[in-house]
Amino acid sequence: MKIITLTTDFGLHDYSVAAVKGALYSKCPDATIVDISHFISPFNILETFYILQNSYIHFPEGSIHIIGVDTERSVSKKHLLMSLNGHYFIGADNGIFHLLSENYTNVALYEFNTQPPTPLFSTLYSFTSIAEQICKNTPLNQIGTPIEKCNPVSYFRPEVSTDEAFIHGIIIYIDHYGNAVSNISRSLFEETRKGRKFEVIFNLYSFKKVYNSYSEMNDDGNMMILFNELNFLQCSIYKSDTRSVGGASSLLGINCLDRVIVQFK
């Protein structure tokens, strides 16, 4: 039995998710289909990476992950199948494969081109066919042509100044609670800090203390920064509720791709 996951920006209002699931059950009747998310912001590769990277590692090896975000095929954006850490990923070469694989060496990439070409709904007509072939244990080099590299992206990495006085990062994700998650990892922060004092700026709001947990902040509605469970620096409002008082994103005006600055003193 294969597990097939779906990560898309389709939402649930339209027929898209149901059509993809129907096609998968027709082609792979013994598979178990799991929704990772269908509420990725449209065409947002950073958000796709953050959610998929931190989800797929909890699935068993052999799982197939279909990525239905920014999938239209073009000369520069081909359709790829990637084998990584015992998992299979199917999607478009829009930067997501580079982000998922850049820290690993056990990566195999294959370009595929299903016939007839389906530029408008590749996830339904192309990606499900590739998943079917994997479920049938077709060798990957018969599904696609091996390639060496995928399209790189550079905007995900935070930048450290040459004198190590600053880290410049960006917001990569706004979660359900309105927490604003940056791309600055705990390891980079501590390696650059070297025990020095610091000031962190999220959209003109200054922070000079990193909390170890939410419970250290006793007052509801107070601003705080901490390293989340994935060890990324994030800005939060203690016990925020986006449906009523709001979260860090709405209350502090923080959006995806906004700059985050850490200064060491």
Side-chain angles (χ1 to χ4, degrees), residues 43-93:
F43 309 104
N44 192 321
I45 299 306
L46 285 180
E47 192 173 308
T48 306
F49 165 70
Y50 183 80
I51 291 175
L52 184 56
Q53 167 72 16
N54 297 304
S55 301
Y56 92 83
I57 56 176
H58 300 288
F59 285 85
E61 291 188 4
S63 296
I64 302 167
H65 308 282
I66 293 177
I67 309 168
V69 180
D70 189 23
T71 61
E72 185 173 354
R73 184 182 176 89
S74 67
V75 173
S76 60
K77 189 173 63 181
K78 299 174 181 178
H79 288 165
L80 300 184
L81 163 62
M82 178 172 70
S83 172
L84 172 69
N85 294 332
H87 293 251
Y88 305 100
F89 298 85
I90 304 167
D93 191 13

Side-chain angles (χ1 to χ4, degrees), residues 21 89 92 106 116 149 168 192 196 211 225 229 259 265:
K21 287 184 176 182
F89 298 85
N106 57 339
K149 296 181 180 179
H168 296 274
T192 310
R196 293 176 290 175
Y211 287 83
I225 61 172
E229 70 279 7
R259 300 286 291 181
K265 304 176 181 180

Side-chain angles (χ1 to χ4, degrees), residues 222-233:
N222 277 9
M223 301 181 298
M224 62 188 300
I225 61 172
L226 74 165
F227 288 100
N228 64 18
E229 70 279 7
L230 303 170
N231 282 317
F232 286 106
L233 187 64

Side-chain angles (χ1 to χ4, degrees), residues 40 52 71 77 89 109 137 143 147-148 181 186 192-193 209 220 233 236 238 240 245:
I40 302 292
L52 184 56
T71 61
K77 189 173 63 181
F89 298 85
L109 292 164
N137 297 315
I143 298 176
I147 61 173
E148 293 296 324
V181 182
R186 183 194 297 270
T192 310
R193 179 187 179 187
K209 176 181 178 179
D220 293 4
L233 187 64
S236 302
Y238 181 61
S240 60
V245 297

